[in-house]
Amino acid sequence: MEHIRCLIVGSGPAGFTAAIYASRANLSPVLYEGIEPGGQLTTTTQIENFPGYPEGVDGTQMMDDLRRQAQRFGADIRRGIVTEVDLSSRPFRVRIDGEHEIEAEAMIVATGASARYLGLESESRFRGMGVSACATCDGFFYRRQDVAVVGGGDTACEEATYLASLCRKVYMIVRKPYLRASKAMQERVFSTSNIEVLFEQNTAEVLGDENGVTGARLRHSATGEERTIDITGFFLAIGHHPNTDVFKGQLALDAEGYIKVEGATSKTSVEGVFAAGDVKDPSYRQAVTAAGSGCVAALDCERFLLAQ
Ligand code: NDP
């Protein structure tokens, strides 16, 4: 069985930063990229708030740069998904792609978080046929059409403004009477003429036919009054859930499934397992905070391995 000193799971800014630090510390890290190589940032357009890029940077480009930076110091970056773990004793045993097993002396979990859906039957029926959780991936298919974005946070505002540059009209379906997004994002939305914000509306049903989405039936949160909008694209931007299913019952998780860590460290409930990035961070969730926590995890991991 292959024996790995420092195993990193996940390939967002947290995982790659951990790989950069771990390889420079001669920990010979092996990183498995997971379901979405490059992580959530590959589904965004410009990143304008990562320090060091005064003109902004394309998300996919930034992840390619981080990957190459880690490889330059010798990190072994592999395609593959962790499908099973046994953290009950060291070395930890980990199954990749449901097939081969490896063992690891220490592990950094940086599996991130994934998009949430409303949970409507009609929504799953039309997934991939007009229903999407990634405007930057799928918006192009709806150019010059009418679409809707669900949510009132920064992601929803960002997706709505992006779609407004491609589509004829963008509705924002917001369940509260206000947007949760930052003031800057709100201003961007309100100054875009082809975005209409529909406050206090919930989606009762996504409408469609054999060709895909044709509309949505909305219900006013206070009055219950219903209305229908004609759209061909229905984009979800209602937050994320942490990718921790494989660690359930093995690592201590909070009520929402985020990995619990000790104070400002990356230490989880299992000695030798460290967590970094969105998978342990329900509140900040930024590329730069994820990268910072990847560094913390690599330093904690290095100290742990040296003490063994
Ligand atoms: P948020 O949790 O901030 O917002 C989710 C939005 O979806 C809220 O408006 C919420 O409504 C709504 N929502 C949740 N569940 C439902 C539901 N079942 N039905 C209808 N609406 C629902 O998530 P985001 O993904 O927008 O942002 C996550 C974090 O990332 C934030 O900290 C944000 O600031 C950050 N971010 C920063 C960006 C940037 O700086 N460039 C870009 C994107 C994100 P309600 O308000 O009623 O709870």
Side-chain angles (χ1 to χ4, degrees):
M1 193 188 308
E2 187 184 13
H3 184 88
I4 291 166
R5 212 163 162 225
C6 169
L7 174 69
I8 301 170
V9 193
S11 57
F16 283 139
T17 304
I20 292 167
Y21 273 77
S23 46
R24 284 170 59 82
N26 288 331
L27 304 184
S28 312
V30 170
L31 181 151
Y32 278 94
E33 290 197 307
I35 295 170
E36 192 174 45
Q40 286 182 74
L41 287 185
T42 58
T43 67
T44 191
T45 42
Q46 267 315 84
I47 300 164
E48 294 184 329
N49 50 11
F50 200 91
Y53 296 94
E55 309 303 326
V57 56
D58 176 82
T60 306
Q61 180 62 51
M62 187 166 116
M63 297 324 295
D64 284 347
D65 288 346
L66 282 172
R67 183 185 286 107
R68 284 193 297 115
Q69 194 174 350
Q71 282 169 328
R72 183 176 144 222
F73 298 114
D76 180 351
I77 293 172
R78 304 177 182 175
R79 284 287 167 97
I81 298 162
V82 167
T83 46
E84 214 179 306
V85 293
D86 179 358
L87 307 178
S88 58
S89 61
R90 279 201 308 271
F92 307 122
R93 290 164 86 94
V94 178
R95 193 175 292 283
I96 308 294
D97 294 332
E99 291 165 4
H100 65 283
E101 213 176 21
I102 55 173
E103 54 180 32
E105 281 173 56
M107 192 194 294
I108 295 173
V109 181
T111 46
S114 298
R116 270 186 211 284
Y117 286 82
L118 294 171
L120 298 169
E121 184 279 323
S122 54
E123 175 193 51
S124 32
R125 188 151 30 101
F126 294 111
R127 212 183 275 192
M129 291 175 68
V131 172
S132 163
C134 178
T136 42
C137 320
D138 301 327
F140 187 73
F141 301 116
Y142 303 92
R143 51 193 197 285
R144 292 186 286 278
Q145 299 174 36
D146 295 352
V147 299
V149 176
V150 187
D154 280 323
T155 305
C157 291
E158 196 173 63
E159 309 252 282
T161 355
Y162 172 72
L163 288 167
S165 68
L166 297 170
C167 302
R168 192 170 57 183
K169 165 125 197 178
V170 180
Y171 295 99
M172 280 185 76
I173 305 170
V174 181
R175 64 181 177 182
K176 295 226 173 97
Y178 55 86
L179 294 174
R180 177 202 286 240
S182 61
K183 279 280 168 284
M185 285 298 209
Q186 293 195 28
E187 273 163 28
R188 211 178 284 185
V189 162
F190 292 128
S191 63
T192 306
S193 59
N194 59 338
I195 299 179
E196 184 182 346
V197 186
L198 306 174
F199 286 111
E200 294 188 85
Q201 298 287 340
N202 284 301
T203 308
E205 189 184 2
V206 180
L207 307 169
D209 57 26
E210 66 282 4
N211 296 318
V213 170
T214 57
R217 186 159 56 81
L218 309 182
R219 190 175 294 139
H220 195 277
S221 7
T223 63
E225 196 182 318
E226 292 200 350
R227 63 178 287 188
T228 300
I229 52 171
D230 296 329
I231 47 165
T232 49
F234 184 83
F235 291 90
L236 282 309
I238 58 168
H240 294 82
H241 64 88
N243 297 321
T244 50
D245 285 357
V246 80
F247 301 103
K248 267 184 196 148
Q250 309 233 21
L251 292 178
L253 308 177
D254 73 8
E256 287 189 67
Y258 288 88
I259 296 176
K260 285 188 182 173
V261 291
E262 235 175 75
T265 75
S266 63
K267 293 176 187 170
T268 69
S269 56
V270 173
E271 203 184 1
V273 180
F274 307 90
D278 287 12
V279 76
K280 59 119 198 134
D281 175 12
S283 51
Y284 298 106
R285 297 183 286 196
Q286 299 299 298
V288 66
T289 52
S293 75
C295 161
V296 169
L299 295 177
D300 285 342
C301 184
E302 182 187 3
R303 283 172 199 155
F304 166 78
L305 287 171
L306 284 178
Q308 296 304 299

